């Protein structure tokens, strides 16, 4: 009796296998073609990355993610074709992915920021940048989660890529020239025209000062103790700090030679926009 039941079960199983042969054959064909398509797709993406000069680390990571996703989709497709139920598996994977996403929300934000930075390249290693999130300095390294920046004091700062990518970034290394701006205060008894002419002649005599746009000396403020004059001039980025520091000294000296009067304890020459930055 047991032998008869076993024989009957084997016959049913054999019949089911025979019925499944067409779908199994179709699944095998889909598997073979799918692998070829995935290889072609990854090869095409790889060539695209090389043409755009995408960072090698992000190339490998994105290709790994795409390879996993494509093969997972292929396996699910083949399983459905062969009649294997995958609904429960998909539900479990979706719940697992949601839980992981909630737990790593901050890290995923930093990862997304790192991908955007490496793809669109608002800055490169060696660039001097300043951002609204408080990070400023020379970029030492760009990783997927954090960017390493050396600030003006030589301190290594690890800036999260999420906040860095979402902030306004000033890249001082991507410009051809920079503006220097000095302000100094003179008394009301001083001849403004004389002071302005002396500074403009000094700037015009230095070949490192650009003539487009032209240097200017303007009255900026009228205070109780004196008049604030502002000097604006441009120099090439490579020599900016040398010119800026030298001009601060030379402007002070030439105004002294012209006997320009300064209010007591109010002498100052400052760079309002770039003070403290070493691009």
């Amino acid at each position: 009796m047991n032998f008869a039941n076993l024989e009957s079960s084997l016959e049913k199983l054999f019949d089911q296998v025979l019925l499944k042969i067409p779908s199994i054959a179709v699944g095998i064909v889909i598997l073979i073609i799918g692998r070829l398509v995935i290889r072609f797709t990854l090869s095409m993406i790889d060539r695209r990355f090389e043409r755009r000069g995408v960072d090698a680390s992000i190339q490998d990571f994105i290709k790994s993610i795409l390879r996993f996703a494509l093969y997972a989709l292929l396996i699910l497709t083949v399983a459905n074709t062969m009649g294997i139920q995958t609904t429960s598996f998909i539900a479990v994977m979706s719940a697992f992915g949601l839980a992981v996403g909630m737990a790593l929300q901050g890290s995923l934000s930093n990862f997304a920021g790192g991908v955007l930075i490496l793809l669109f390249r608002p800055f490169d290693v060696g660039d001097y940048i300043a951002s609204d999130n408080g990070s400023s300095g020379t970029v030492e390294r760009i990783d997927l989660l954090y960017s390493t920046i050396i600030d003006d004091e030589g301190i290594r700062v690890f800036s999260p890529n999420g906040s860095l990518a979402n902030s306004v970034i000033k890249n001082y290394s991507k410009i051809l020239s920079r503006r220097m701006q000095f302000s100094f205060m003179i008394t009301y008894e001083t001849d403004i025209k004389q002071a302005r002419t002396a500074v403009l002649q000094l700037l015009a005599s230095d070949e490192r000062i650009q003539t487009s746009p032209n240097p200017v000396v303007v009255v900026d403020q009228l205070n109780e103790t004196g008049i604030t004059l502002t000097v604006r001039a441009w120099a090439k980025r490579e020599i900016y700090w040398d010119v800026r520091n030298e001009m601060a000294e030379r402007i002070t000296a030439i105004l002294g030679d012209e006997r320009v009067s300064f209010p007591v304890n109010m002498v100052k020459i400052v760079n309002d926009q770039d003070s403290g930055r070493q691009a």
Side-chain angles (χ1 to χ4, degrees), residues 120-223:
F120 295 102
R121 289 291 187 182
F123 55 84
D124 295 304
V125 174
D127 288 352
Y128 186 95
I129 65 170
S131 66
D132 288 349
N133 73 345
S135 301
S136 63
T138 302
V139 180
E140 181 185 48
R141 183 182 176 89
I142 304 173
D143 294 315
L144 287 175
L145 297 180
Y146 292 89
S147 292
T148 307
I149 299 173
I150 307 298
D151 68 8
D152 297 330
E153 298 178 358
I155 299 174
R156 184 173 282 103
V157 179
F158 298 93
S159 178
N161 285 334
S163 59
L164 188 61
N166 290 322
S167 65
V168 177
I169 300 173
K170 296 180 181 179
N171 191 328
Y172 291 89
S173 298
K174 298 297 185 184
I175 58 177
L176 298 178
S177 58
R178 290 182 63 179
R179 188 186 74 181
M180 62 189 76
Q181 179 169 303
F182 306 105
S183 296
F184 57 93
M185 186 176 291
I186 60 176
T187 62
Y188 283 99
E189 291 76 16
T190 300
D191 188 336
I192 298 177
K193 184 177 180 180
Q194 176 187 357
R196 178 188 291 114
T197 301
V199 174
L200 288 176
Q201 287 178 348
L202 171 64
L203 296 173
S205 66
D206 195 315
E207 297 179 351
R208 298 171 298 175
I209 300 296
Q210 296 183 350
T211 57
S212 179
N214 289 320
V216 295
V217 180
V218 297
V219 175
D220 193 13
Q221 293 181 0
L222 301 176
N223 303 304

Side-chain angles (χ1 to χ4, degrees), residues 64-84:
S64 298
I65 294 295
L66 287 175
R67 184 180 293 107
F68 174 80
L70 291 174
Y71 273 108
L73 180 61
L74 176 61
I75 292 172
L76 291 175
T77 302
V78 172
N80 282 324
T81 303
M82 293 181 176
I84 301 174

Side-chain angles (χ1 to χ4, degrees), residues 231-250:
V231 181
R232 299 188 182 98
W234 293 78
K236 291 183 178 180
R237 177 181 58 83
E238 295 81 5
I239 59 174
Y240 170 80
W241 282 102
D242 291 338
V243 178
R244 184 259 178 193
N245 294 334
E246 183 178 334
M247 280 299 153
E249 297 179 4
R250 294 178 65 184

Side-chain angles (χ1 to χ4, degrees), residues 20-21 26-27 43 49 74 113 163 169 191 198 213 215 254 268 270-271:
K20 291 291 185 180
I21 286 178
V26 173
S43 177
F49 280 158
L74 176 61
S163 59
I169 300 173
D191 188 336
I254 198 166
K268 64 175 182 176
V270 298
N271 186 326

